[in-house]
Amino acid sequence: MSAQNEVAKQEKPFETMLTKVNNTYLPMIQRQLQGNGVNMDDYSKQCVIAAISTINSVLDAKGIKWNDSQLDQSNVTQTLLDVAALKLNAAANPREVYFQIRNVKRGENWVKQIEMGIEGDGNDAILSRFGRGVESVKQFWLVREEDRFVYPSYNGLEITPPQWSPTGKGEVIRVVYPIVKKDGAVEYHITEREDVVKNLIAHVSNNLMNETFGIAADRFKATPDQKKKIMEKKMEVLKKVQAQGLKALDDEELQNYISPAWKDPQSRESMIIRKMRNNIVKKIPKDFGSAFVELTYDKNADPAYQNVRKEINDNANQELLDFEPSEQPEAAKPPAETPSNPNIIDYTEPAEEPKHTETKPERVDPF
């Protein structure tokens, strides 16, 4: 080897695996954001780098490499694109976003995907950044059972603020968010502990997704009759959770369908408070200034949207339909006109042009 090649080799900078991943994904994320009319500023780049580092820790814990053939690279790209668009910082304390591995069936194969979830402080950050007319989000109130609390009252446009005298005793029964608007007005958004029951029902419903109750070996191979019986059993479980409310967390028959973060005593109260905060922040109007960013938020924050997408992904292309072209008679008579009926609705009008077309994330091999 010549001296010149030896010098060039020594001058070549050393790159760790994580540096290579950053150098692979960052330019691609920036390019896709610009393609959707969103500029990637320095803080968005910081959020993407923090997300890559956190995802790397999750993958390491599962023994998965970035170039693993089972890792859905398109999903990784989409996840980082969501982080950049919403500017969620995984390195913040308290953290604003978390990641976990989920196995998803694609045809006959299983792939590993990164699932992103927005933490309570992430929703606060989104509200501060995108809240419609929001000047600042003040420290939220945790009102406990033995605290003195008086609800706000209204006289037309005049508001009498709520009154709170904390004692620090008892469970948190409501959360109050004081929001200062840009016109100087102050709004008080309140949610109750009982409202968390709907979050628990959604959580149990998600954990029941692959449950067959022994009726079938696999939900994908279940017959229509078996699927009907499985759905009936699922509805029985969900109705039981609804009837018991948060007491369902201690029901032994429901323990298999509830994650430890919900039912364990050391984390239960934190989970309930987090859900109460989320329930408030999600309802406050937001202006994202971009249809792409708004779609990204809805996809990650709206359970209804997530359930619809999951249903589509689970059932798409499951059945091959083959239609034989029907022969038309040579002298077919035109159909007789049907008398107009005001009760019949015609849906043949052309659909509106979509306001936004989402760019499909690039599939990459970082190595």
Side-chain angles (χ1 to χ4, degrees), residues 299 303-315:
K299 178 180 63 176
Y305 185 99
Q306 294 174 349
N307 291 336
V308 170
R309 292 303 308 166
K310 187 176 294 182
E311 184 70 17
I312 292 174
N313 292 334
D314 289 344
N315 296 286

Side-chain angles (χ1 to χ4, degrees), residues 16-160:
T16 64
M17 183 69 69
L18 203 55
T19 302
K20 293 179 181 179
V21 174
N22 286 332
N23 293 338
T24 299
Y25 282 105
L26 268 176
M28 180 172 48
I29 298 302
Q30 184 172 9
R31 187 166 60 248
Q32 293 206 32
L33 281 179
Q34 291 175 347
N36 286 282
V38 180
N39 292 325
M40 187 175 184
D41 56 21
D42 291 338
Y43 187 70
S44 291
K45 293 179 182 179
Q46 179 183 338
C47 290
V48 172
I49 293 173
I52 290 175
S53 178
T54 304
I55 292 173
N56 185 68
S57 299
V58 174
L59 293 177
D60 281 346
K62 297 291 184 179
I64 304 172
K65 303 297 183 181
W66 284 92
N67 57 351
D68 195 317
S69 59
Q70 291 186 338
L71 183 62
D72 189 345
Q73 296 293 337
S74 297
N75 160 257
V76 174
T77 305
Q78 184 62 63
T79 300
L80 295 176
L81 195 62
D82 294 349
V83 168
L86 297 176
K87 300 182 180 180
L88 295 172
N89 193 347
N93 187 18
R95 65 181 184 177
E96 299 174 356
V97 62
Y98 67 90
F99 307 97
Q100 60 187 14
I101 304 294
R102 182 176 291 276
N103 294 319
V104 179
K105 192 169 186 180
R106 288 288 177 263
E108 296 298 324
N109 301 318
W110 288 86
V111 297
K112 298 183 183 299
Q113 291 189 344
I114 302 296
E115 186 175 77
M116 181 182 103
I118 303 176
E119 294 277 31
D121 289 273
N123 282 309
D124 287 5
I126 291 174
L127 177 60
S128 299
R129 191 171 293 115
F130 301 108
R132 185 180 301 164
V134 172
E135 178 65 28
S136 63
V137 180
K138 299 302 181 181
Q139 178 63 39
F140 54 88
W141 304 352
L142 297 180
V143 183
R144 299 182 178 274
E145 287 177 307
E146 299 187 27
D147 294 352
R148 178 182 175 275
F149 181 79
V150 179
Y151 285 92
S153 59
Y154 299 86
N155 182 16
L157 296 178
E158 296 180 359
I159 177 175
T160 301

Side-chain angles (χ1 to χ4, degrees), residues 7 28 73 103 126 151 173 177 179 196-197 207 223 247 277 285 292 304 311 317 337 360 365-366:
V7 172
M28 180 172 48
Q73 296 293 337
N103 294 319
I126 291 174
Y151 285 92
I173 57 175
Y177 265 79
I179 307 294
V196 180
V197 174
N207 286 344
T223 64
K247 293 181 180 179
R277 292 175 57 192
F292 171 75
E311 184 70 17
N317 303 322
E337 293 187 2
K360 185 178 180 181
D365 183 358

